[in-house]
Amino acid sequence: MIQPAAYLYLAAILFAVGLVGVLIRREAIIIFMCIELMLNAVNLTFVTFSRLLGSIDGQVIVFFSLAVAAAEVVVGLGIIVAIFRHRATTDVDQLNLLKL
Amino acid sequence: MELFMFALLGLVSIGSSLAMIGHKNPVYSALYMVVTFATTAVMFVLLKAPFIAAVQIIIYAGAVVVLFLFVVMFLNLKAAVLLERRRGPLLLAFVLAGLVAGELAAVVATGAWPDTDEALVPPGFGSVASVATVLFTRYLVPFEIASIILLTGMVGALALARRESITPETAYDLRGPDGGREKPEAGDGGGPAGGPDASVEPAEREPVPIGVEVHR
């Protein structure tokens, strides 16, 4: 195995890229994709530590993370569709009112 | 060999994630997201987690990205909107993300990671049996909670996506027992009773078929 720090550096880079995407994009769907990318980077960190410590618990936590991410995607995309149905846009700069 | 694979996968995943956040078309962003998740799945295999890698491919590339693509095509976003980025805080965003990346890298650099050897990992590590043994014994209660979360997500998505459709059965409730004649504006939305017929006395008005009037 190569140095485990390499995987951790890569996960940090992917997390930062997802953070940049969340900050610079306007479309709610793209922001949502970037959040998935950040979750994925954290999953990579979990699996790396699972390999590093010889413990299977990290992989089980990644399994739970995937399940929660799937539920989150379903509800989040449902919210985006509902917003688009009322406002005809998903630009987060224009979604600044709680009322419809 | 592993170093070569890691370098290749790392470059591909970073490049595809950058293309994902930079592309103006959300469909291409979703496809670049598939590439990123697939490279991460291969890295899971390198880290002796084949079951998690398979689950990653099935859930992310199989379900989540298809859902994203479906919603992107359903929303029919205009291309002119997609070109725009946030011009003002662009520099601030890069500075903040660079700070976060530097912080994470500093944590990694100062950590004393143990030297990994093959003897540390038992044979069959990361297989379905080894994950399931822990999942269904020590993490049994979180597993059940995860199923409840998935059920809640399904119900929530159905509740959010439900269109308030007015059928002839519910139209009776909306219009009241007298067919909505006390309030003529209730059923004026483009139906045959709207417009010039509004001046007619309510008693003389023709009874409108329910399904025609309320459906819009």
Side-chain angles (χ1 to χ4, degrees):
Chain A
M1 186 190 180
I2 62 174
Q3 281 296 313
Y7 287 101
L8 300 177
Y9 281 127
L10 179 67
I13 290 171
L14 287 179
F15 190 87
V17 169
L19 183 60
V20 169
V22 168
L23 291 176
I24 71 171
R25 291 306 295 259
R26 278 178 171 172
E27 289 293 326
I29 289 183
I30 306 289
I31 291 174
F32 211 47
M33 287 182 194
C34 294
I35 292 172
E36 294 299 315
L37 181 64
M38 294 164 79
L39 278 173
N40 203 40
V42 176
N43 284 345
L44 180 60
T45 308
F46 267 123
V47 173
T48 304
F49 277 116
S50 169
R51 171 73 177 83
L52 196 60
L53 302 175
S55 164
I56 202 72
D57 293 19
Q59 298 187 12
V60 176
I61 289 175
V62 169
F63 182 79
F64 287 130
S65 167
L66 288 173
V68 173
E72 172 221 343
V73 164
V74 169
V75 176
L77 288 179
I79 290 172
I80 289 175
V81 169
I83 287 173
F84 186 82
R85 195 177 288 161
H86 283 289
R87 303 289 299 270
T89 181
T90 57
D91 191 338
V92 292
D93 281 350
Q94 297 179 12
L95 302 178
N96 50 6
L97 291 175
L98 280 178
K99 67 175 185 177
L100 290 174
Chain B
M1 183 60 193
E2 193 190 350
L3 182 62
F4 172 71
M5 283 293 291
F6 175 76
L8 184 66
L9 292 171
L11 287 178
V12 169
S13 70
I14 291 173
S16 61
S17 60
L18 284 174
M20 182 187 108
I21 69 167
H23 210 283
K24 61 187 179 188
N25 194 339
V27 177
Y28 284 94
S29 291
L31 295 179
Y32 281 122
M33 192 166 73
V34 176
V35 177
T36 309
F37 289 159
T39 52
T40 313
V42 179
M43 272 184 231
F44 288 167
V45 175
L46 289 180
L47 289 167
K48 295 195 188 309
F51 171 67
I52 296 298
V55 168
Q56 164 104 354
I57 291 291
I58 291 170
I59 290 183
Y60 268 123
V64 168
V65 174
V66 169
L67 207 57
F68 269 109
L69 282 176
F70 184 75
V71 170
V72 165
M73 293 175 182
F74 176 72
L75 293 188
N76 191 15
L77 301 170
K78 295 172 184 62
V81 180
L82 308 177
L83 280 171
E84 297 178 4
R85 313 249 175 88
R86 291 182 181 176
R87 293 298 175 197
L90 198 61
L91 181 65
L92 184 63
F94 279 108
V95 168
L96 281 174
L99 280 177
V100 170
E103 194 173 354
L104 292 172
V107 171
V108 175
T110 55
W113 311 116
D115 290 330
T116 55
D117 47 352
E118 297 296 327
L120 186 64
V121 177
F125 182 76
S127 64
V128 179
S130 64
V131 174
T133 304
V134 181
L135 184 64
F136 291 123
T137 55
R138 197 185 307 161
Y139 294 96
L140 182 61
V141 175
F143 181 77
E144 297 295 333
I145 293 174
S147 69
I148 294 173
I149 287 174
L150 286 173
L151 179 66
T152 310
M154 191 175 73
V155 173
L158 285 176
L160 283 169
R162 193 167 62 94
R163 201 182 286 270
E164 292 290 338
S165 63
I166 300 175
T167 59
E169 287 79 16
T170 58
Y172 181 79
D173 298 334
L174 290 175
R175 296 170 69 197
D178 56 349
R181 290 193 177 176
E182 289 181 355
K183 294 181 289 182
E185 70 274 8
D188 265 354
D197 287 343
S199 60
V200 182
E201 284 291 320
E204 298 174 358
R205 209 202 295 175
E206 286 291 318
V208 180
I210 292 175
V212 175
E213 187 185 3
V214 186
H215 272 295
R216 298 176 189 176

